[in-house]
Amino acid sequence: MSGNTFGKIFRITTHGESHGPVIGVVVDGVPAGMPLSEADVQRELDRRRPGQSIVTTPRAEKDKVEISSGVFEGKTLGTPICMFVRNVDVDSKPYEAIKAKPRPGHADLAYWLKFGHIDHRGGGRGAARETVGRVAAGAIAKKLLAAHGVEILGHTIEAAGVAVEREVSPEEIRKNVENNPMRCADPKVAEEMKRRVLEASAKGDSTGGVVELIALNVPPGLGDPVFEKLDAEIAHALMSIGSVKGVEIGIGFKAARMFGSEVNDQLRLKGDKIIGDTNNSGGILGGISTGMPIVARIVVKPTPSITKPQKTVDVVRMKEAELKLEGRFDPNICPRIVPVAESMLALVLADHMLRAGKISPNRFKGFK
Amino acid sequence: MSGNTFGKIFRITTHGESHGPVIGVVVDGVPAGMPLSEADVQRELDRRRPGQSIVTTPRAEKDKVEISSGVFEGKTLGTPICMFVRNVDVDSKPYEAIKAKPRPGHADLAYWLKFGHIDHRGGGRGAARETVGRVAAGAIAKKLLAAHGVEILGHTIEAAGVAVEREVSPEEIRKNVENNPMRCADPKVAEEMKRRVLEASAKGDSTGGVVELIALNVPPGLGDPVFEKLDAEIAHALMSIGSVKGVEIGIGFKAARMFGSEVNDQLRLKGDKIIGDTNNSGGILGGISTGMPIVARIVVKPTPSITKPQKTVDVVRMKEAELKLEGRFDPNICPRIVPVAESMLALVLADHMLRAGKISPNRFKGFK
Amino acid sequence: MSGNTFGKIFRITTHGESHGPVIGVVVDGVPAGMPLSEADVQRELDRRRPGQSIVTTPRAEKDKVEISSGVFEGKTLGTPICMFVRNVDVDSKPYEAIKAKPRPGHADLAYWLKFGHIDHRGGGRGAARETVGRVAAGAIAKKLLAAHGVEILGHTIEAAGVAVEREVSPEEIRKNVENNPMRCADPKVAEEMKRRVLEASAKGDSTGGVVELIALNVPPGLGDPVFEKLDAEIAHALMSIGSVKGVEIGIGFKAARMFGSEVNDQLRLKGDKIIGDTNNSGGILGGISTGMPIVARIVVKPTPSITKPQKTVDVVRMKEAELKLEGRFDPNICPRIVPVAESMLALVLADHMLRAGKISPNRFKGFK
Amino acid sequence: MSGNTFGKIFRITTHGESHGPVIGVVVDGVPAGMPLSEADVQRELDRRRPGQSIVTTPRAEKDKVEISSGVFEGKTLGTPICMFVRNVDVDSKPYEAIKAKPRPGHADLAYWLKFGHIDHRGGGRGAARETVGRVAAGAIAKKLLAAHGVEILGHTIEAAGVAVEREVSPEEIRKNVENNPMRCADPKVAEEMKRRVLEASAKGDSTGGVVELIALNVPPGLGDPVFEKLDAEIAHALMSIGSVKGVEIGIGFKAARMFGSEVNDQLRLKGDKIIGDTNNSGGILGGISTGMPIVARIVVKPTPSITKPQKTVDVVRMKEAELKLEGRFDPNICPRIVPVAESMLALVLADHMLRAGKISPNRFKGFK
């Protein structure tokens, strides 16, 4: 496997298995002189952490980040930033029993077919825990972007069949998302989502949903035709998150049932800026940012770990078998995917800001 | 712009503007000794060509391919294969008048903001014509895959609001797709699609749709966790096609409203192979192919070129303006996107077959 | 084979075999708005062309370049620039006889072992003709660099055992190099070089030499520790030229016999710039440019094609054989390698200028 | 800075500053199922460690490696292998005094010009300590290569003006190199080298030398024309090591003064293998391995840290200054560069073995 590196200038390499000693990331391409502390990263990791609420798994990961390189006297050095989190509350025992039985909906079978083994200790690199490195790196990307005026927002817009039917404002997202366990911008809808999520969970089942990502104040001109289009790289980044089965930009799949005259964003002036009357393009045309907000949505499949009995195949004995998972799992992963997806969007944008010369590659803004 | 190269081992570089002298591609990473002729490539280019039918633009591109390197005495040399098509039926005059007026829904504005100019001659690299290189390269990828048992299928499953509501078989796709202008596997639905597409077109408007891609007989084990997941790279590849605003794998966006017990493909034995009762995963779990058919879908927005009057901004005078496009445009691009999307899927799979050691990198199967 | 692309932002892909229809290159990453004509490129190709003088092979390649994309109305578009040269004066007949007999010192045997065939038509991609694409791309890189003040010089400092023993000035290089067939900056030494080169040639043998490359006015700060060091990428670029068996930077191999106190460039002020008393570092320390001239040297082995009888193995019959090459070959390739090596240095520097933000990626200096 | 990743399939990312908390590396692309222990890596790190002998710096780094991911129950998982070493015996105090004074011959000035700061704590990423990550990764590459029959050897062939004038056999290298402080294959020459090294050291000066690398039993066919030639990537890898100012392959710089008839390796049969009478090509022709031993040499400049007074510029006050380094430094780094250079060669070869399909990418040889 050699696919653990992502990005061209702002480039991350993640490592670590779910139940190994540590999980971590090396972040390369951060300009020198940017203020950075472990607290900056911890804040984002705490948002990803399980056990935050009733709808997330209660594994009590502390996930305390340590920065072991690239920062000196509170500022980045321009050298690679290595961060890691020790895996503490690890108990691989429940997995022993199912060692030879790939869990439906999980990567187990595919890993076994590829590598000849299943890292039964909680899924290894296929486990959600792998995203710790992404979120730590994303925290740095976000901070770098923020210093250049770019803001990243994420929120759950649908879960367990309950959707936010109206458009919510950035203000609502900023204000409400961290105040309910679903990370939904509409507190009332959040209540209903939670109710349905727990209802399914009580029956040993899980639910999915849709998460929306928004990037505000992105300068126009990011994205390189034709294969390094901004939307293509965003799709790559978001689809690389486990459990994501689809990505759409702007109007997305709705475009299939609309007319050109409806989808085309009509252009007009707002001061000296050219903007669209609408933002069906999601801030990207021809793979290049237009200056309008970037809008992407991902569909998150229901958590594959459920306690209902399932059918599998014992890969050692090569015979069909039943599987009954024990333990408590995230009944819905949307809220925990929010910071992961925000991170991936931030990574792509930071990389493209650097590629387009909007962020200076060697020295942080104002640093001499 | 430096994003014209795609792939890691099987790697293509496309070039050429819509109204420049030629449009072409260099294909690197093809093993030596594979039989290859211009006819192999021409067949696919003819499927992409405009003017094929009533629902495609009548620009009479001949699109005759010439192979200028990498093939000798009917066999690949293992050296890069350069192919190009001369742009003949080129008339840039209609574009002169709209030189300073970015067309809504097109890349014009974004290119202008990035590069400081609009290649008004038919959109330059932002035009659909850029896909000639992709399809030529895709023809080679498909041939290489076919020699290793992998088949790629594509078909329109929704257009202008008309959808194929049932699952169609590979046989139907193979049999019907080239026999109707919509490239729809169900001839009756195709009729209705065409009717609605032409209806909108008659009103100066355009329509969108959904195209489905299927790869049969893909070996398990393709895809590298965690950022080079097979589905992530497929999403990248497909989203890099102009007009595509969303990508989904397997069950896709439907997963948002389902339960885990419904989405998880239950495993069973079929002979000595482990298969799923269903294929909601679309043949990919944890970013790795499972051996089940790979299924991806893309949403294609309505052709942005419409003859209805639109609002734009004259970027030279910086004042609002009206835009009335003259000419005849594809009323619906789904049928022409089918071979392009098939090509992108083939490119990703050929690359991953090479990365996973399923295709030998230097010498074509059986070649000595 | 998939190694025909070079560079990260300024990125080239070459293609074409020695005796195929064309030889060419796609240059990606050139900012939009740079004035560029075929004449700019032709000038450099003419310097590479054989048949220029008595010490080069008389193959009368016209090597007329055609630009088929990326330039419009005399300016770059920011899209990939495709250039090619048709192979005209091609005669593969002399090669027929030696089809199964790898030529000692050539790539023939290695290609055969790798790809299962020898492109006997003049060596295919292993032939010196492959460098046409490099030089065409280099011409663009040089022009872009020149617009940002960077000048690239190349000259032969040793050939056939005759060396320039003194340091020559940039002025001498500029003035003399194009005025003698050896591309030597010292006209008297050039005479002696030529004499010895022809002497060996008359005996059916060939000679080698050393070429020096200098880049003037390179800004400090280019090069990325630790694996993308400027000198590491220069070494890569120069060693990728056929016949080059060694690369050194600054003091180079002489450093083995010197003391630290001699090699360390002592620092002092010159105005507000920090410079070295000497330039043993060759303008690069820790892989990063210091602002001093960049100096690299390459050793060029004697042309492997010689008319003296040689020992080989017939790879079809697998028996030892004698080989007697017919025809006229470059008795010494140093002069023709000068523009190729200059090009490779220019490509690395242009790429690093872009990476370091010293060249703006999207719009050419002053272009709006 | 974003250049801390190297390799395409077998890919490493190093991190950590000389005086930061840890120094480490992430190794990606190792097949699953290879036996690997910390002892395997420690052995190589001990060869790199300072304080081994009288000719190396006495900094008592323990350099105890910890593997924190990618290995489970004594076998590789196919996931990225993260290894690190804690920096213990770190004393940054001596560097405080010279904070603003770039040391001649060091990266200090270049880093300051690029990043706006000098990591005065022992040179940061510019320090030799950065190579810990390379050697740890190299240990894995060597083990993987060894399992496929490839052996890597390194030895000092010249130091302080004393050279091994004769060719030494692989047996001599294996037997003698670890038995003398110079890592020289000829014990008598080693004695003389040591004498001269210490003589210069006693005068507050340092010396350089030449290190030779040999790879035995490399299969033919590695290397991708034209920019990913095996020798080009070896040159890149070796030149990326601090203090290396030149690289040569096979006959190297000597080729400048030889005739083609002398340099061309005449071919003959040895059993069913085609070999050269000589190995002037150093096992690589046209950038592709031929099956003969791969031979490369690097020149190592004298250690830039010397105790003799030197001239520098105080970059804060911008005035000329004298610099007198205190402490004890490696009088000659050749012996410690041997394992680093071996590692870099091993990394390139492991990567190319994977690219050429000579090593299976997912599962270690014989692992199921």
Side-chain angles (χ1 to χ4, degrees):
Chain A
M1 150 182 348
S2 65
N4 298 284
T5 297
F6 186 75
K8 201 165 172 174
I9 306 289
F10 195 103
R11 192 155 49 175
I12 74 168
T13 300
T14 69
H15 57 87
E17 298 83 43
S18 180
H19 289 202
V22 308
I23 202 111
V25 65
V26 180
V27 184
D28 209 352
V30 183
M34 183 172 94
L36 187 71
S37 69
E38 286 171 352
D40 291 327
V41 179
Q42 194 62 52
R43 199 175 313 122
E44 290 296 320
L45 282 179
D46 288 347
R47 295 178 64 214
R48 194 214 73 91
R49 213 184 51 206
Q52 299 169 61
S53 80
I54 198 162
V55 303
T56 58
T57 164
R59 174 174 166 176
E61 304 170 14
K62 295 281 163 38
D63 286 358
K64 179 134 180 34
V65 74
E66 298 172 50
I67 298 180
S68 68
S69 73
V71 179
F72 180 50
E73 299 178 343
K75 285 202 180 114
T76 56
L77 284 164
T79 58
I81 300 167
C82 182
M83 299 182 284
F84 58 93
V85 156
R86 286 168 215 275
N87 291 326
V88 281
D89 176 37
V90 167
D91 180 9
S92 303
K93 231 172 294 161
Y95 295 95
E96 276 292 331
I98 57 164
K99 213 168 154 165
K101 295 181 187 167
R103 294 164 296 167
H106 272 281
D108 300 349
L109 177 63
Y111 270 62
W112 181 74
L113 292 168
K114 187 177 186 81
F115 299 112
H117 67 83
I118 294 172
D119 185 355
H120 60 279
R121 304 167 304 158
R125 287 290 283 172
R129 187 142 180 80
E130 165 267 317
T131 59
V132 163
R134 303 183 185 225
V135 172
I140 297 178
K142 278 183 193 176
K143 184 155 190 187
L144 182 58
L145 288 170
H148 294 81
V150 178
E151 184 186 16
I152 308 283
L153 298 171
H155 59 129
T156 304
I157 61 170
E158 181 172 339
V162 183
V164 180
E165 303 286 359
R166 63 188 184 84
E167 209 174 317
V168 294
S169 67
E171 288 69 32
E172 283 177 287
I173 302 172
R174 288 186 203 111
K175 187 178 144 206
N176 296 327
V177 152
E178 297 305 310
N179 292 321
N180 67 70
M182 296 308 303
R183 288 213 163 89
C184 176
D186 183 319
K188 262 179 81 175
V189 178
E191 262 318 297
E192 179 62 9
M193 283 175 174
K194 192 181 93 179
R195 204 183 57 72
R196 293 261 205 104
V197 164
L198 296 178
E199 195 175 282
S201 174
K203 292 177 188 156
D205 219 329
S206 64
T207 51
V210 177
V211 165
E212 183 174 80
L213 289 312
I214 302 169
L216 297 171
N217 207 24
V218 175
L222 306 191
D224 290 306
V226 300
F227 298 117
E228 298 176 0
K229 286 186 167 120
L230 189 58
D231 41 0
E233 301 212 339
I234 290 172
H236 185 147
L238 295 175
M239 195 72 101
S240 79
I241 304 170
S243 293
V244 172
K245 297 302 284 183
V247 180
E248 58 179 23
I249 304 292
I251 194 72
F253 273 86
K254 274 191 201 128
R257 308 196 162 200
M258 292 167 77
F259 293 109
S261 59
E262 295 169 303
V263 172
N264 288 349
D265 300 313
Q266 303 298 305
L267 300 176
R268 60 180 174 87
L269 280 170
K270 189 184 173 182
D272 62 348
K273 254 184 88 183
I274 303 167
I275 62 163
D277 273 349
T278 48
N279 187 22
N280 292 329
S281 71
I284 303 174
L285 277 170
I288 300 171
S289 66
T290 62
M292 297 286 284
I294 287 177
V295 180
R297 273 176 302 279
I298 53 176
V299 59
V300 180
K301 75 174 184 181
T303 322
S305 290
I306 55 175
T307 53
K308 276 194 173 176
Q310 296 186 88
K311 291 194 290 178
T312 185
V313 172
D314 183 312
V315 297
V316 173
R317 298 195 190 95
M318 276 308 267
K319 51 180 282 192
E320 299 184 347
E322 207 191 66
L323 181 76
K324 179 88 183 65
L325 293 176
E326 307 281 334
R328 281 180 58 196
F329 309 103
D330 285 273
N332 187 296
I333 7 180
C334 289
R336 286 183 64 206
I337 276 210
V338 166
V340 177
E342 287 171 14
S343 293
M344 293 311 296
L345 180 56
L347 290 169
V348 173
L349 290 175
D351 195 25
H352 272 283
M353 293 280 283
L354 280 154
R355 294 197 217 172
K358 307 287 185 187
I359 293 180
S360 173
N362 296 323
R363 302 184 190 195
F364 184 67
K365 218 180 153 168
F367 178 70
K368 337 170 216 225
Chain B
M1 154 183 346
S2 63
N4 298 282
T5 297
F6 186 75
K8 200 164 170 175
I9 306 289
F10 195 102
R11 191 155 50 176
I12 73 168
T13 301
T14 69
H15 57 86
E17 297 83 44
S18 179
H19 289 203
V22 309
I23 201 109
V25 66
V26 180
V27 184
D28 210 352
V30 183
M34 182 173 93
L36 187 71
S37 70
E38 285 170 352
D40 290 327
V41 178
Q42 193 62 52
R43 199 176 314 121
E44 290 296 321
L45 282 178
D46 289 347
R47 295 178 66 213
R48 193 214 73 93
R49 213 184 52 206
Q52 299 170 62
S53 82
I54 198 162
V55 303
T56 58
T57 163
R59 175 174 166 177
E61 304 169 14
K62 294 283 161 38
D63 286 357
K64 186 144 171 26
V65 73
E66 299 171 50
I67 298 180
S68 68
S69 73
V71 179
F72 180 50
E73 297 178 344
K75 286 205 181 111
T76 56
L77 283 164
T79 59
I81 300 168
C82 181
M83 300 181 283
F84 58 92
V85 156
R86 286 168 214 276
N87 291 326
V88 282
D89 177 37
V90 166
D91 180 8
S92 303
K93 230 172 294 159
Y95 295 94
E96 276 292 331
I98 58 164
K99 211 169 156 166
K101 294 180 188 169
R103 294 164 296 167
H106 273 282
D108 300 350
L109 177 63
Y111 270 62
W112 181 75
L113 291 168
K114 187 176 185 80
F115 299 112
H117 67 82
I118 296 172
D119 186 355
H120 61 279
R121 304 166 305 159
R125 287 290 281 172
R129 188 144 179 78
E130 165 266 318
T131 59
V132 163
R134 302 183 187 226
V135 172
I140 297 177
K142 278 182 192 176
K143 185 157 189 185
L144 181 59
L145 287 170
H148 293 79
V150 178
E151 184 187 15
I152 308 283
L153 298 171
H155 60 129
T156 303
I157 60 168
E158 180 172 340
V162 183
V164 180
E165 304 286 359
R166 64 189 181 84
E167 208 174 320
V168 293
S169 68
E171 289 69 33
E172 283 176 288
I173 302 172
R174 288 186 202 109
K175 187 178 143 206
N176 297 326
V177 152
E178 297 305 310
N179 291 322
N180 67 70
M182 295 309 302
R183 286 210 165 90
C184 176
D186 182 320
K188 262 179 79 174
V189 178
E191 262 317 299
E192 179 63 8
M193 283 175 174
K194 192 180 93 179
R195 203 183 58 72
R196 294 262 203 105
V197 164
L198 295 178
E199 196 176 282
S201 174
K203 290 177 189 156
D205 218 330
S206 64
T207 52
V210 177
V211 166
E212 184 175 79
L213 289 312
I214 301 169
L216 297 171
N217 207 24
V218 175
L222 306 191
D224 290 307
V226 301
F227 298 117
E228 298 177 1
K229 286 186 167 119
L230 189 58
D231 41 0
E233 300 213 340
I234 289 172
H236 185 147
L238 295 175
M239 195 71 102
S240 80
I241 303 170
S243 292
V244 172
K245 297 301 283 182
V247 180
E248 57 178 23
I249 303 292
I251 193 72
F253 275 86
K254 272 192 203 127
R257 308 194 163 203
M258 291 166 77
F259 293 110
S261 58
E262 294 169 303
V263 172
N264 287 350
D265 299 313
Q266 303 298 304
L267 300 175
R268 59 181 175 87
L269 280 171
K270 190 184 173 182
D272 61 348
K273 253 183 89 181
I274 302 166
I275 63 162
D277 273 349
T278 48
N279 188 21
N280 292 328
S281 70
I284 303 173
L285 277 170
I288 301 172
S289 65
T290 62
M292 296 287 283
I294 287 177
V295 181
R297 275 175 301 279
I298 52 176
V299 59
V300 179
K301 74 175 185 181
T303 323
S305 291
I306 55 176
T307 53
K308 276 195 174 175
Q310 296 187 87
K311 291 194 291 178
T312 185
V313 171
D314 183 313
V315 296
V316 174
R317 295 195 192 97
M318 278 305 271
K319 48 180 285 191
E320 297 183 349
E322 206 190 66
L323 180 77
K324 179 90 182 65
L325 293 176
E326 309 280 334
R328 281 180 57 196
F329 310 102
D330 286 273
N332 186 296
I333 7 179
C334 289
R336 286 183 64 206
I337 275 208
V338 166
V340 177
E342 286 171 14
S343 293
M344 294 312 297
L345 179 56
L347 290 169
V348 173
L349 290 176
D351 195 24
H352 273 283
M353 292 280 281
L354 280 154
R355 293 195 217 174
K358 306 288 185 186
I359 294 180
S360 172
N362 297 322
R363 303 182 189 196
F364 184 66
K365 218 179 152 170
F367 178 70
K368 340 169 212 232
Chain C
M1 155 183 344
S2 64
N4 299 282
T5 297
F6 187 76
K8 200 163 172 177
I9 306 289
F10 195 103
R11 191 155 50 176
I12 74 168
T13 301
T14 69
H15 57 87
E17 298 83 44
S18 180
H19 288 204
V22 309
I23 202 112
V25 64
V26 180
V27 184
D28 210 351
V30 184
M34 183 173 92
L36 187 71
S37 70
E38 286 170 352
D40 290 327
V41 179
Q42 194 62 52
R43 198 175 316 121
E44 290 296 321
L45 283 178
D46 288 348
R47 295 179 64 214
R48 193 214 74 93
R49 214 184 52 205
Q52 300 170 61
S53 82
I54 197 162
V55 304
T56 59
T57 164
R59 175 174 167 177
E61 303 170 13
K62 294 283 162 37
D63 286 358
K64 183 139 177 27
V65 73
E66 299 172 49
I67 298 180
S68 68
S69 73
V71 179
F72 180 49
E73 298 178 343
K75 286 203 180 112
T76 55
L77 283 164
T79 59
I81 300 168
C82 182
M83 300 182 284
F84 58 92
V85 156
R86 286 168 214 276
N87 291 327
V88 282
D89 177 37
V90 167
D91 181 8
S92 304
K93 230 171 296 161
Y95 295 94
E96 277 292 331
I98 58 165
K99 213 168 154 164
K101 295 181 188 167
R103 296 164 294 168
H106 273 281
D108 299 350
L109 177 63
Y111 271 62
W112 180 74
L113 291 168
K114 187 176 185 82
F115 299 113
H117 68 83
I118 295 172
D119 186 353
H120 61 279
R121 304 166 304 158
R125 288 289 282 172
R129 188 142 180 79
E130 165 267 318
T131 59
V132 162
R134 302 182 186 226
V135 172
I140 297 177
K142 278 183 193 175
K143 185 156 189 184
L144 181 59
L145 287 171
H148 293 80
V150 178
E151 185 187 15
I152 308 283
L153 298 171
H155 59 129
T156 303
I157 60 168
E158 180 172 340
V162 183
V164 180
E165 303 286 0
R166 63 190 183 84
E167 210 175 318
V168 293
S169 68
E171 289 69 32
E172 282 176 287
I173 302 173
R174 288 186 203 109
K175 189 179 143 206
N176 296 328
V177 152
E178 297 305 309
N179 292 322
N180 67 70
M182 295 308 302
R183 288 212 163 89
C184 177
D186 182 320
K188 261 179 80 173
V189 178
E191 262 319 297
E192 179 62 7
M193 284 175 174
K194 192 180 92 179
R195 203 183 57 73
R196 294 260 205 106
V197 164
L198 295 179
E199 196 175 281
S201 174
K203 291 177 189 157
D205 218 329
S206 63
T207 51
V210 177
V211 165
E212 184 174 77
L213 289 312
I214 302 170
L216 297 171
N217 208 24
V218 174
L222 305 191
D224 290 306
V226 300
F227 299 117
E228 297 176 1
K229 286 187 169 119
L230 189 58
D231 40 1
E233 301 212 339
I234 289 172
H236 185 147
L238 295 175
M239 194 72 100
S240 79
I241 304 170
S243 292
V244 172
K245 298 301 284 184
V247 180
E248 57 178 23
I249 303 291
I251 193 73
F253 274 86
K254 273 192 203 128
R257 307 195 164 201
M258 291 167 77
F259 292 110
S261 58
E262 295 169 303
V263 172
N264 287 349
D265 299 312
Q266 303 298 304
L267 300 177
R268 59 180 175 87
L269 280 171
K270 190 185 173 180
D272 61 347
K273 255 183 87 181
I274 302 166
I275 64 163
D277 272 349
T278 48
N279 187 22
N280 292 329
S281 71
I284 303 174
L285 277 170
I288 301 172
S289 65
T290 62
M292 297 287 283
I294 287 176
V295 181
R297 275 175 301 277
I298 52 176
V299 59
V300 180
K301 74 175 184 181
T303 322
S305 291
I306 55 175
T307 52
K308 276 195 175 175
Q310 296 186 87
K311 292 194 290 177
T312 184
V313 171
D314 184 313
V315 297
V316 174
R317 298 195 191 95
M318 277 308 269
K319 48 180 284 192
E320 297 183 349
E322 206 191 68
L323 181 76
K324 179 89 183 65
L325 293 176
E326 307 280 333
R328 281 181 56 196
F329 310 103
D330 286 273
N332 186 296
I333 6 179
C334 288
R336 286 183 64 205
I337 276 209
V338 167
V340 177
E342 286 171 15
S343 293
M344 293 312 296
L345 179 57
L347 290 169
V348 173
L349 290 176
D351 195 24
H352 272 283
M353 292 280 282
L354 281 154
R355 293 197 216 172
K358 307 288 184 185
I359 294 179
S360 172
N362 297 321
R363 302 183 189 195
F364 183 67
K365 217 180 153 170
F367 178 70
K368 336 168 215 234
Chain D
M1 150 182 349
S2 64
N4 298 284
T5 297
F6 186 75
K8 202 165 170 174
I9 306 289
F10 195 103
R11 192 156 49 177
I12 73 166
T13 301
T14 69
H15 58 86
E17 298 82 45
S18 180
H19 288 203
V22 309
I23 203 109
V25 64
V26 180
V27 185
D28 210 352
V30 183
M34 183 173 93
L36 187 71
S37 70
E38 285 169 353
D40 291 327
V41 178
Q42 194 62 51
R43 198 175 315 121
E44 291 296 322
L45 283 178
D46 288 348
R47 295 179 64 213
R48 194 214 73 92
R49 215 184 51 206
Q52 299 170 61
S53 81
I54 197 162
V55 304
T56 59
T57 163
R59 175 175 167 177
E61 304 170 14
K62 295 281 163 38
D63 286 358
K64 182 141 176 28
V65 73
E66 299 172 50
I67 299 181
S68 67
S69 74
V71 178
F72 180 49
E73 298 177 344
K75 285 203 181 113
T76 56
L77 283 165
T79 59
I81 300 166
C82 182
M83 299 182 284
F84 57 93
V85 156
R86 287 168 213 276
N87 291 327
V88 281
D89 177 36
V90 166
D91 181 8
S92 304
K93 229 172 294 161
Y95 295 95
E96 276 293 331
I98 58 165
K99 211 167 156 167
K101 295 181 187 167
R103 294 163 296 166
H106 273 281
D108 300 350
L109 177 63
Y111 270 63
W112 181 74
L113 291 168
K114 186 177 185 81
F115 299 113
H117 68 82
I118 295 172
D119 185 355
H120 61 279
R121 303 167 304 158
R125 287 291 281 172
R129 188 142 179 79
E130 165 266 318
T131 59
V132 163
R134 303 183 185 226
V135 172
I140 297 178
K142 278 183 192 176
K143 186 156 190 186
L144 182 58
L145 287 170
H148 293 80
V150 177
E151 185 187 15
I152 308 283
L153 299 171
H155 59 128
T156 303
I157 59 169
E158 180 171 340
V162 183
V164 180
E165 304 286 359
R166 63 188 184 86
E167 209 173 318
V168 294
S169 68
E171 288 69 33
E172 283 177 287
I173 302 173
R174 289 186 202 110
K175 188 180 144 205
N176 297 327
V177 152
E178 298 304 310
N179 291 322
N180 67 71
M182 295 308 302
R183 288 212 163 88
C184 177
D186 183 320
K188 261 180 80 174
V189 178
E191 262 317 299
E192 179 62 8
M193 284 175 173
K194 193 181 91 179
R195 204 183 57 75
R196 294 261 204 106
V197 164
L198 294 179
E199 194 177 284
S201 174
K203 291 177 189 157
D205 218 330
S206 63
T207 51
V210 177
V211 165
E212 184 174 78
L213 289 313
I214 301 170
L216 296 171
N217 206 23
V218 175
L222 306 191
D224 290 306
V226 300
F227 298 117
E228 297 177 1
K229 286 186 168 119
L230 189 58
D231 39 0
E233 301 212 340
I234 290 172
H236 185 146
L238 295 176
M239 194 72 100
S240 79
I241 304 169
S243 292
V244 172
K245 298 301 284 183
V247 180
E248 58 179 21
I249 304 291
I251 193 72
F253 274 86
K254 274 193 202 127
R257 309 195 162 199
M258 292 166 77
F259 293 110
S261 58
E262 295 168 302
V263 172
N264 288 350
D265 299 313
Q266 304 297 305
L267 300 175
R268 60 182 175 86
L269 280 171
K270 189 183 172 181
D272 62 347
K273 253 184 91 182
I274 302 166
I275 64 162
D277 273 348
T278 48
N279 187 22
N280 292 329
S281 70
I284 304 173
L285 277 171
I288 300 171
S289 65
T290 62
M292 297 286 284
I294 287 177
V295 181
R297 275 176 301 278
I298 53 176
V299 59
V300 179
K301 73 174 185 183
T303 322
S305 291
I306 53 175
T307 52
K308 274 195 175 176
Q310 296 186 87
K311 291 193 291 175
T312 185
V313 172
D314 183 314
V315 297
V316 173
R317 297 196 190 95
M318 276 307 267
K319 49 181 284 191
E320 298 184 347
E322 207 191 65
L323 181 76
K324 180 87 181 65
L325 293 177
E326 307 281 334
R328 281 180 57 195
F329 310 102
D330 286 274
N332 186 295
I333 7 180
C334 288
R336 287 183 64 206
I337 276 210
V338 166
V340 177
E342 287 171 14
S343 293
M344 294 311 297
L345 179 57
L347 290 169
V348 173
L349 290 176
D351 196 24
H352 272 283
M353 292 279 283
L354 279 155
R355 295 196 216 173
K358 307 288 185 186
I359 294 180
S360 172
N362 297 322
R363 301 183 190 194
F364 183 67
K365 218 179 152 169
F367 178 70
K368 339 172 215 232

